[in-house]
Amino acid sequence: MTVGAAVRAHSRPLSPSKSTTSGSLDARHRTPPRATLQTAASAPAATVDTRTHISNLDRVLLKSVPHAPALIPNSSAAEKHVEQQKSSAAGGLLHALNLSSLFPSNRSSAAAAAAAHDVSPRSLAQLQRLLSDSSRPSPKSSIAERWRLLHGADNWSGLLDPLDENLRRELVKYGDLVQAAYRTFHSNPAASPSRSRLLVLPDRNYRATRSLFATSSVKIPHWLDAAAAAVPPWMTQLSSWIGFVAVCDNDREIARMGRRDIVVSLRGTATALEWAEDLRAALHPIEPTTDAASPAKVSSGFWSLYKTSGGPQIPSLSAAVVDEVRRLVEQYRGEELSITVTGHSLGAALALLVADDLSAEIESAPPISVVSFGGPRVGNRGFAERVERRGVKVLRVVNANDMVTRVPGVMPAGGGGGGWRSHVLEGYAHVGAELWVDNRASPYLRPDADPACCHDLEAYLHLVDGFMGTRCPFRSDAKRSLAQLLSQQRPNLKKIYVDRARALGIDPVEPDGRASGVHHRCLPSPSR
């Protein structure tokens, strides 16, 4: 990933220009050359099969789009070698420019007629736009009158299935803020806490006000010193940049949302010590022992990252986030405010701890909500009940095939002495409402996508952007570009779209098989 906008291709813009002609196939796209259209339409219908029709339309698109010869040599030994390898791996079923694999021959005539629309120049232009780095966020409509419902006042009842279009737009916005946390960290992971960082937010209506750090209490054992010396130093540093606090600072956006929004954004696991903390799943009590049947307990590793200080200059994540949010609430007291804590994976777990803490530490706190992506379980049922009792609203976005959302499970309860209590198992419990998405519903991702793809944040945002409901097809007018997904999860995209991207000069391949061109400098989003 890169800081700010993704790196674009050096070729000219690939998206078709807008047209104001009312008689065109679609006013949003350029009409292909008349002669080419006549060639496709002049053949007798009885003699033009689906494969020929697709091939003709394929040529229409390719002729109407300028290529970048410098990025894609027409015939080189390297390209032929790569194509031979890909052809062999795919069993020779798909040709690089053949779209007919989208339309199996055993479909019914009605399905074939519907498929004809899917391969029209309009649909191919839509595919071209999605494969180019030209995201068009869904239009922002005013949510001022409904913001409390969209923020979880009623636990998102009636808004998730089918998914409310305004809620979809807000979820993607918060996910992009988490992507910004990933990009900022990976742009310079070894930067010292005292050094300022360039933080470019995708939504310019927000202004970052403070950097956040998480510190591990786990140290590399001496017997691993040799292995630690072989990795970059930032992988084993105790304190690492993990996110930021931001506030909406645009009057027009504040009016659209109906309030000023304060956001805490947290990335997922990136360092070796953070991984070590993730694996410390023993439940740790976070409140004095009471007569309650299930006192609140959370993962020891998550609690350590949240509460450990890195020294006088590096306060704990807990102290830093409470201090900054309290300052902002005081600064804007008298205005309509909301607090949204968002994160992915480890960041999703820490987001729950942050929200629980803010609800107790901020006097007369504004409504607090958590929007998390691919988060593991954080604590036991007692912790879940405490979060709900404090009025924190939690919405977890979960991919059906993401294993991280299913851990931890159960842990042995303390008891000592080998008595019967040592055999009792304490279970972890999820908190809040759940938006259930499935990577198999995407027409672009392979149904057998690997675990890393199922947990990847960009894949999550792709699925949310296309989700309409559990019994609905993937949203046909989804706006989110596939470019970043192509960069990070290319092996998990269906081959037809990878081939199309290469044909359009969006995803050329180096001789060693690595992706090059538009996104070759993007850093992959960590799996956790």
Side-chain angles (χ1 to χ4, degrees):
M1 293 182 291
T2 58
V3 176
V7 181
R8 296 182 183 273
H10 299 293
S11 59
R12 289 175 289 174
L14 298 179
S15 298
S17 59
K18 293 183 179 180
S19 171
T20 57
T21 304
S22 60
S24 61
L25 289 174
D26 190 326
R28 296 173 299 173
H29 302 292
R30 179 192 306 147
T31 302
R34 182 179 300 275
T36 308
L37 285 178
Q38 289 177 343
T39 300
S42 60
T47 62
V48 179
D49 59 11
T50 302
R51 183 180 296 275
T52 303
H53 179 59
I54 295 170
S55 178
N56 287 339
L57 291 173
D58 204 27
R59 287 194 293 270
V60 169
L61 179 62
L62 293 177
K63 286 182 179 179
S64 64
V65 178
H67 285 271
L71 290 178
I72 307 182
N74 288 330
S75 59
S76 65
E79 185 181 52
K80 290 180 180 179
H81 175 68
V82 172
E83 289 302 322
Q84 288 174 357
Q85 287 183 330
K86 291 178 70 62
S87 176
S88 175
L93 296 178
L94 299 176
H95 187 270
L97 300 180
N98 182 13
L99 296 178
S100 59
S101 60
L102 291 176
F103 313 104
S105 58
N106 61 353
R107 288 185 177 179
S108 66
S109 58
H117 172 72
D118 293 338
V119 295
S120 67
R122 171 181 176 179
S123 296
L124 291 177
Q126 164 79 353
L127 173 59
Q128 174 190 328
R129 182 183 62 76
L130 288 175
L131 287 170
S132 64
D133 191 9
S134 57
S135 292
R136 300 180 189 176
S138 300
K140 292 183 178 180
S141 56
S142 175
I143 59 173
E145 296 182 358
R146 303 176 61 225
W147 78 263
R148 290 183 179 272
L149 289 176
L150 296 173
H151 199 246
D154 196 24
N155 293 312
W156 295 276
S157 176
L159 300 177
L160 301 178
D161 196 2
L163 181 60
D164 182 271
E165 60 180 8
N166 289 309
L167 178 58
R168 178 193 295 114
R169 178 66 181 80
E170 298 300 298
L171 294 179
V172 171
K173 176 186 73 176
Y174 290 124
D176 279 333
L177 289 174
V178 180
Q179 285 286 37
Y182 274 121
R183 285 194 294 267
T184 302
F185 173 76
H186 283 292
S187 66
N188 192 356
S192 66
S194 60
R195 182 176 177 180
S196 61
R197 289 174 177 266
L198 176 62
L199 175 57
V200 180
L201 301 185
D203 190 328
R204 300 303 178 87
N205 296 307
Y206 285 81
R207 171 177 56 88
T209 63
R210 181 162 182 170
S211 290
L212 301 173
F213 295 82
T215 301
S216 171
S217 62
V218 176
K219 296 183 179 180
I220 298 293
H222 294 299
W223 55 273
L224 282 178
D225 285 346
V231 301
W234 61 266
M235 286 288 291
T236 56
Q237 64 191 17
L238 290 177
S239 299
S240 297
W241 194 94
I242 198 166
F244 58 89
V245 180
V247 61
C248 184
D249 207 25
N250 181 283
D251 291 340
R252 180 177 297 179
E253 182 67 1
I254 292 171
R256 184 193 73 84
M257 294 193 300
R259 86 283 190 189
R260 186 187 296 271
D261 190 30
I262 299 171
V263 173
V264 180
S265 176
L266 302 168
R267 63 164 174 82
T269 308
T271 73
L273 294 185
E274 289 168 359
W275 272 108
E277 294 283 23
D278 288 347
L279 298 176
R280 296 176 59 198
L283 286 165
H284 174 80
I286 61 173
E287 61 185 3
T289 302
T290 65
D291 295 333
S294 182
K297 298 180 181 181
V298 298
S299 159
S300 299
F302 298 153
W303 188 249
S304 169
L305 286 170
Y306 184 59
K307 285 293 187 179
T308 304
S309 169
Q313 303 302 319
I314 311 176
S316 68
L317 174 58
S318 170
V321 73
V322 169
D323 178 66
E324 181 62 14
V325 173
R326 179 185 286 124
R327 184 187 71 82
L328 292 172
V329 169
E330 288 297 326
Q331 178 179 345
Y332 298 109
R333 188 168 295 281
E335 296 186 26
E336 193 84 3
L337 298 176
S338 68
I339 298 174
T340 307
V341 191
T342 185
H344 171 244
S345 196
L346 168 63
L350 295 175
L352 271 178
L353 299 179
V354 167
D356 176 67
D357 210 7
L358 291 176
S359 66
E361 296 294 330
I362 305 296
E363 184 178 355
S364 301
I368 301 174
S369 290
V370 174
V371 174
S372 71
F373 302 87
R377 297 184 181 99
V378 178
N380 65 351
R381 171 50 57 187
F383 174 69
E385 291 173 350
R386 180 171 110 157
V387 170
E388 294 169 352
R389 186 168 59 249
R390 289 181 169 180
V392 174
K393 304 301 181 180
V394 180
L395 177 58
R396 296 179 299 105
V397 183
V398 175
N399 183 350
N401 301 292
D402 184 0
M403 296 299 298
V404 173
T405 62
R406 306 175 191 176
V407 297
V410 294
M411 297 298 298
W420 68 271
R421 280 186 55 81
S422 63
H423 301 289
V424 176
L425 296 178
E426 290 186 311
Y428 276 79
H430 273 306
V431 186
E434 185 175 87
L435 174 60
W436 189 264
V437 295
D438 192 333
N439 59 279
R440 293 169 296 187
S442 169
Y444 307 104
L445 291 172
R446 291 175 47 168
D448 59 344
D450 61 36
C453 178
C454 294
H455 186 59
D456 183 75
L457 177 56
E458 184 59 33
Y460 262 95
L461 299 184
H462 164 70
L463 294 174
V464 171
D465 191 52
F467 180 78
M468 294 194 297
T470 53
R471 293 178 176 82
C472 301
F474 201 81
R475 191 164 66 108
S476 61
D477 60 344
K479 306 289 185 180
R480 192 171 188 85
S481 170
L482 298 175
Q484 190 169 339
L485 192 61
L486 179 68
S487 169
Q488 298 172 190
Q489 298 294 337
R490 183 156 53 94
N492 291 294
L493 260 69
K494 292 179 180 178
K495 185 177 183 294
I496 184 66
Y497 301 111
V498 177
D499 290 342
R500 169 55 55 197
R502 190 171 301 119
L504 296 175
I506 298 168
D507 184 42
V509 176
E510 298 284 359
D512 62 359
R514 292 183 294 107
S516 66
V518 181
H519 298 283
H520 67 283
R521 285 182 279 177
C522 289
L523 288 166
S525 175
S527 296
R528 274 208 71 180

